[in-house]
Amino acid sequence: MSEDGLRVIQISDFHLLADAGERLREVDTHATLAAVIERVRAESPAPDLVLATGDLSQDGLLGSYRRVKTLLRRLDAPTYCLPGNHDDAARFAAAMPGDGVHVARELCRNGWQIVFLDSTVPGEEDGRLADGELDALDRALAARPGLHALVCLHHHPVAVGGAWGDFVSLANPDDLFAVLDRHPQVRGLLWGHVHHPFEGARGAVRLMATPSTCFQFAPGPGGSLATGPEPPAYRRLALGPDGAIDTELRWLDRLAVSP
Ligand SMILES: [Fe+2]
Ligand SMILES: [Fe+2]
């Protein structure tokens, strides 16, 4: 775009499997991601960037990352990825970069800085931001006080309700917010993981969670995460030159992903 901000698409929680014949919760996660990518390709105006916020693979196998890459290559915009709890750190780092797909700490463009955090803890479902991640965030923001900032991670740092109720999957949200509070240029915090929509605010910072490209969670028996009726979705964000964030979810028609 333009020198007046950035058009961004967020896609999250693909949960791809290495075996093309396998399903997850009876969903062909490859087909749903393919359908989402076709919708993103049809966006007009086209996005400047695509952000993929973790759980790109369900099984953490190289074969599933190869299937992710094959689909992401269909996007015309550069794609920036961060890992989720289902991703294998080594295979993610080895397999994802290249062919227009990036794994990076930050991206600065058109008056905005986008910072990517790794909130994963090996072997754990829930997340935590290690001291090194928090320091890197603090340094990145301190280095670019003149840019508006959007910070991205996988795990949710505030309660999102729905099937998650009051549970927060990031173990140390106060540490994250202490860093953000030192940098007034931060405009938004964006995550995946919850398979659920959420929008809120903390002071001047927009808080946004985006549903999955495969299935969404609903309250299940005994506090479990059941599969809800909502279709795949993604988020569109227009990051304005004044720091404003205009955003909306785009839900797919369920027919678009039926065999
Ligand atoms: Fe997920
Ligand atoms: Fe997750």
Side-chain angles (χ1 to χ4, degrees), residues 13 15 53-55 84-86 125 154-155 164 192-195 217:
D13 293 84
H15 291 272
T53 47
D55 285 354
N85 51 296
H86 283 277
E125 198 164 300
H154 181 67
H155 292 89
W164 294 90
H193 185 62
V194 293
H195 295 228
F217 286 138

Side-chain angles (χ1 to χ4, degrees), residues 134-135 137-138 141 174-183:
L134 293 162
D135 289 346
L137 172 63
D138 202 25
L141 293 170
D174 291 347
D175 294 340
L176 170 60
F177 290 128
V179 175
L180 300 185
D181 287 348
R182 290 199 283 276
H183 303 283

